[in-house]
Amino acid sequence: MSEDQIKNLEAQFEARIARDEKIEPKDWMPEKYRQTHIRQISQHAHSEIVGMLPEGNWITRAPSLRRKVALLAKVQDEAGHGLYLYSACETLGISREELYEQLHAGKAKYSSIFNYPTLTWADIGTIGWLVDGAAIINQVPLCNTSFGPYARAMVRVCKEESFHQRQGYEIMIKLCEGTKEQKEMAQDALNRWWWPSLMMFGPTDAESIHTEQSMKWKLKRKSNDELRQQFIDQTVPQADLIGLTIPDPDLKWNEKTGHYDFGEIDWNEFWQVVKGHGPCNKERMKARVDAWENGQWVRDAAMAFAEKEQERKEKLTNKAV
Ligand SMILES: [Fe+2]
Ligand SMILES: [Fe+2]
């Protein structure tokens, strides 16, 4: 293809984005658009799957049958989100095996929040309330993103995320209505998860290297700092309502801006966890690699069965002829 032809295609592509048209897998797209989407969608898929680990750890220890059922349903939803997103990513011309390989080799990232441990039952409430709450704020704008399969996946995912957020907040309400020890447990979990939750929105706008291009492609509709502020403004009143204290002495309502002012995020901790030095990075990755290796016989058996079925069908067709 000549340079002029490519320029022409690029101009048509940009015009489609400007008109808010969806880009579908078989449409022409710039290579950078394809690669950026593979990176973001796979990172999202990996986060859903790795995100099952800290909570899955609590299914057998949930305090009642009702809590077990709700948590089980939530963790299964996360598996569904992961599979849905891997499929969306595969439409961009990368295989599932390659995506897993990138994760296992540490080349692909997943959300750093899942590298923190879940120490008590209150952590499960806090994850639903804060982590799924932050995920909703990150993901709602993606329902309008330009790449069709990703946008459609997000519509369904967001509906399920709101159930996750509510089941988490309900756990917190119950703990805060309970004994002194239960309330302390809730406060302790909030103390540990608050700052990592704020980090889920990524580096500040000044430091975010992908923001500008992603905004242009409508892969991102709001900046990291805007989304983080929205999360804080939404969450502080929820903490107040159940009598929990946000662990930030600088947190203060600002009449002028109509938003909460908040303290400095420890970006050193953020980068340490991103670089693989968080409390559970190694454990999480080992769990994923083990699951992949231990599942080899299932994949082999499924392939062998599919081949046999195919042979059987071919024999039947040949007889009929
Ligand atoms: Fe999810
Ligand atoms: Fe979720």
Side-chain angles (χ1 to χ4, degrees):
M1 216 183 290
S2 76
E3 231 174 76
D4 276 355
Q5 278 171 315
I6 293 180
K7 272 199 181 136
N8 196 6
L9 283 170
E10 270 173 1
Q12 283 175 28
F13 177 84
E14 298 296 345
R16 290 187 65 193
I17 301 253
R19 288 196 299 269
D20 267 337
E21 276 178 33
K22 291 277 174 271
I23 306 299
E24 297 300 337
K26 287 186 177 153
D27 296 346
W28 185 89
M29 61 184 80
E31 193 48 29
K32 206 173 160 208
Y33 180 91
R34 184 188 301 278
Q35 293 307 332
T36 302
H37 278 75
I38 289 177
R39 183 177 56 77
Q40 172 152 341
I41 300 172
S42 69
Q43 190 169 317
H44 192 163
H46 298 323
S47 303
E48 301 283 357
I49 298 297
V50 178
M52 295 165 70
L53 298 169
E55 290 183 289
N57 188 34
W58 274 90
I59 292 172
T60 53
R61 291 179 287 166
S64 69
L65 183 60
R66 179 174 172 270
R67 294 289 178 206
K68 276 190 178 64
V69 171
L71 183 58
L72 189 59
K74 183 207 190 271
V75 175
Q76 282 178 334
D77 282 354
E78 306 300 8
H81 299 171
L83 298 180
Y84 213 176
L85 289 165
Y86 281 129
S87 300
C89 201
E90 282 176 291
T91 67
L92 289 162
I94 186 162
S95 71
R96 187 80 58 107
E97 283 74 13
E98 282 174 89
L99 292 170
Y100 286 144
E101 248 172 51
Q102 289 178 352
L103 174 70
H104 298 161
K107 283 188 217 148
K109 298 253 177 292
Y110 57 88
S111 180
S112 275
I113 192 82
F114 303 118
N115 290 316
Y116 289 86
T118 40
L119 305 179
T120 70
W121 173 246
D123 288 33
I124 301 306
T126 312
I127 289 180
W129 175 32
L130 301 184
V131 176
D132 292 87
I136 295 171
I137 289 182
N138 266 329
Q139 290 168 10
V140 164
L142 292 174
C143 296
N144 293 315
T145 191
S146 58
F147 185 54
Y150 196 27
R152 288 188 289 274
M154 280 304 105
V155 173
R156 178 169 182 163
V157 166
C158 282
K159 284 183 186 160
E160 294 181 347
E161 292 303 348
S162 63
F163 151 65
H164 301 170
Q165 196 271 350
R166 270 177 278 163
Q167 69 88 37
Y169 190 54
E170 199 219 356
I171 292 173
M172 299 308 274
I173 295 175
K174 271 278 170 293
L175 289 173
C176 289
E177 287 170 352
T179 62
K180 186 171 156 280
E181 286 78 8
Q182 283 172 318
K183 186 149 187 196
E184 279 169 7
M185 187 164 82
Q187 181 64 55
D188 170 64
L190 174 59
N191 293 349
R192 285 180 289 108
W193 288 93
W194 175 252
W195 293 103
S197 300
L198 297 191
M199 294 174 198
M200 280 178 73
F201 298 94
T204 55
D205 295 346
E207 302 241 335
S208 177
I209 46 170
H210 301 299
T211 294
E212 201 189 324
Q213 182 64 72
S214 295
M215 285 277 204
K216 220 174 106 202
W217 283 331
K218 297 181 179 169
L219 177 53
K220 232 176 179 177
R221 298 247 170 183
K222 284 182 179 178
S223 75
N224 294 356
D225 288 334
E226 279 177 286
L227 294 169
R228 187 167 13 247
Q229 186 69 58
Q230 190 184 332
F231 173 75
I232 294 170
D233 292 346
Q234 172 186 305
T235 311
V236 176
Q238 293 169 351
D240 288 345
L241 192 71
I242 53 177
L244 292 178
T245 309
I246 303 282
D248 178 0
D250 297 322
L251 187 81
K252 220 171 83 202
W253 177 251
N254 184 328
E255 272 308 332
K256 258 197 216 146
T257 59
H259 295 292
Y260 282 93
D261 291 336
F262 55 97
E264 189 64 36
I265 293 170
D266 182 354
W267 292 112
N268 184 37
E269 177 183 327
F270 173 78
W271 291 114
Q272 281 302 315
V273 183
V274 170
K275 285 176 191 155
H277 310 302
C280 302
N281 294 58
K282 287 201 180 76
E283 190 184 327
R284 301 291 183 239
M285 207 36 62
K286 184 179 182 308
R288 289 312 314 154
V289 172
D290 285 354
W292 177 250
E293 285 171 0
N294 295 337
Q296 185 63 49
W297 70 271
V298 179
R299 295 190 295 279
D300 291 346
M303 288 306 287
F305 180 72
E307 271 163 31
K308 265 191 196 166
E309 279 290 280
Q310 186 64 27
E311 268 171 35
R312 198 178 59 86
K313 270 186 204 151
E314 272 163 23
K315 264 186 203 160
L316 281 177
T317 329
N318 287 345
K319 261 188 201 167
V321 172

